[in-house]
């Protein structure tokens, strides 16, 4: 299937590892020029070189913390100078700290707000005017199944990620006339370093091993296993394609059947 995005410019946030890396890799395989950003300069540059080497696409890595407004602006500007206007934006950010309500002071809430909600808002603000002017664009927000079904122990994520969905749904209505689609993808339990960290915390609290916690989680998934990052990335690439031009304002889970609701 030809996705029709060869030579488009894709910007993928927080892509030095995990879901962001998988999304960037998948888009590069489709022939897009890809800019990725991450907080660690050495790691993001290594990731960019690896994607470029394995896909043959042009890829550049930029050091940027998506929780900091000025760093987002700088990264988008550098990306534009490198590959031209951004056609595809995949927003993403590392999850806020795990914990319950009583674990979170006001500072934790403020940091999570900047990381989880405002990173998506600011990234979109930085690319949207050019997308509107050019009459084409794809925006995909990587969120979490927690927007549909809260996850125990991830209070900040449960509270703030739904804000991304509300923002995206409202934006989709405003920009559809400009040829821009806005969608959200919701990974369930997926085998990433972030999930390994969560399982480590659960293991410590339960007095068990990480392996036991991973197996327990896999048992709760109808598919009987955790997801793989490339499975989410495949959906992202499709939503960014010309084939998906009539899909906008949608929130789609990739969770092996874990979500128990109807819609």
């Amino acid at each position: 299937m030809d996705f029709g995005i060869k030579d488009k410019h894709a910007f993928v946030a927080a892509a030095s590892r995990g879901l962001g890396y998988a999304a960037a890799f998948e888009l590069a395989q489709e022939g897009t020029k890809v800019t990725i950003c991450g907080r660690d300069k050495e790691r993001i540059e290594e990731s960019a070189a690896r994607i470029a080497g394995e896909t043959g696409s042009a890829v550049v890595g930029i050091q940027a913390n998506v929780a900091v407004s000025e760093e987002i602006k700088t990264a988008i500007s550098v990306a534009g100078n490198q590959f031209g206007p951004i056609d595809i934006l995949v927003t993403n950010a590392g999850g806020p700290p795990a914990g319950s309500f009583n674990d979170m002071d006001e500072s934790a809430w403020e940091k999570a707000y900047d990381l989880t909600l405002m990173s998506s808002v600011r990234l979109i603000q930085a690319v949207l005017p050019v997308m509107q002017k050019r009459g084409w664009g794809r925006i995909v927000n990587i969120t979490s199944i927690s927007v549909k079904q809260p996850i125990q122990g991830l209070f900040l994520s449960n509270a703030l990620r739904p804000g991304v969905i509300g923002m995206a749904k409202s934006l989709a209505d405003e920009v559809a006339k400009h040829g821009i689609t806005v969608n959200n993808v919701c990974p369930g339990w997926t085998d990433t370093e972030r999930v390994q960290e969560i399982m480590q915390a659960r293991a410590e609290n339960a007095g068990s091993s990480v392996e036991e916690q991973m197996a327990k989680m896999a048992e709760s998934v109808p598919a009987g296993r955790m997801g793989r990052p490339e499975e989410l990335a495949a959906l992202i690439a499709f939503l960014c394609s010309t084939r998906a031009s009539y899909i906008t304002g949608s929130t789609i889970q990739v969770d092996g059947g874990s979500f128990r609701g109807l819609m």
Side-chain angles (χ1 to χ4, degrees), residues 7 10 31 40 117 154 159 165 183 188 210-211:
D7 294 327
D40 186 302
L117 175 58
L154 298 183
I165 305 302
N183 293 292
V210 172
E211 291 72 21

Side-chain angles (χ1 to χ4, degrees), residues 19 29 33-35 38 58 71 95 123 126 133 140 152 162 167 181 195 198 257 262:
L19 300 175
Q29 283 191 312
K33 296 170 288 187
V34 182
T35 302
E71 293 191 26
L123 282 162
K133 183 177 180 179
V140 179
Q152 183 180 6
M167 177 272 295
T181 66
V195 168
I198 294 172
L262 298 176

Side-chain angles (χ1 to χ4, degrees), residues 184-196:
N184 311 293
V185 293
C186 309
W189 290 109
T190 308
D191 194 359
T192 62
E193 290 183 41
R194 161 72 171 168
V195 168
Q196 291 279 350

Side-chain angles (χ1 to χ4, degrees), residues 11-214:
F11 186 102
V12 185
S16 64
R17 62 177 186 172
L19 300 175
Y21 178 90
F25 189 94
E26 191 78 17
L27 289 166
Q29 283 191 312
E30 293 299 324
T32 66
K33 296 170 288 187
V34 182
T35 302
I36 59 176
C37 75
R39 290 176 295 179
D40 186 302
K41 185 176 188 295
E42 183 177 353
R43 175 177 278 188
I44 198 66
E45 290 178 350
E46 288 176 354
S47 296
R50 191 180 314 120
I51 295 170
E54 294 184 24
T55 66
S57 288
V59 185
V60 66
I62 300 172
Q63 181 183 24
N65 182 349
V66 296
V68 180
S69 178
E70 289 306 312
E71 293 191 26
I72 288 176
K73 293 176 183 177
T74 298
I76 296 297
S77 176
V78 171
N81 291 335
Q82 184 75 28
F83 293 139
I86 292 168
D87 304 291
I88 295 167
L89 172 67
V90 180
T91 76
N92 183 38
S100 63
F101 184 81
N102 288 331
D103 295 327
M104 309 303 169
D105 60 15
E106 189 164 334
S107 175
W109 279 99
E110 290 172 351
K111 290 177 181 177
Y113 170 74
D114 278 328
L115 177 67
T116 307
L117 175 58
M118 289 309 297
S119 63
S120 294
V121 172
R122 290 165 178 155
L123 282 162
I124 294 170
Q125 285 177 328
V127 304
L128 189 62
V130 174
M131 286 184 178
Q132 289 175 307
K133 183 177 180 179
R134 288 159 59 87
W136 198 92
R138 297 288 185 267
I139 298 170
V140 179
N141 304 298
I142 299 179
T143 60
S144 166
I145 196 63
S146 66
V147 304
K148 294 193 172 190
Q149 184 167 283
I151 299 173
Q152 183 180 6
L154 298 183
F155 203 95
L156 292 172
S157 179
N158 295 340
L160 290 167
R161 288 195 192 276
V164 176
I165 305 302
M167 177 272 295
K169 186 68 173 177
S170 301
L171 180 63
D173 186 58
E174 293 185 1
V175 301
K177 63 187 176 184
H178 298 290
I180 301 168
T181 66
V182 186
N183 293 292
N184 311 293
V185 293
C186 309
W189 290 109
T190 308
D191 194 359
T192 62
E193 290 183 41
R194 161 72 171 168
V195 168
Q196 291 279 350
E197 292 166 1
I198 294 172
M199 293 299 109
Q200 179 66 48
R202 290 191 176 189
E204 291 172 0
N205 289 335
S208 62
S209 68
V210 172
E211 291 72 21
E212 288 172 329
Q213 289 297 318
M214 293 283 279

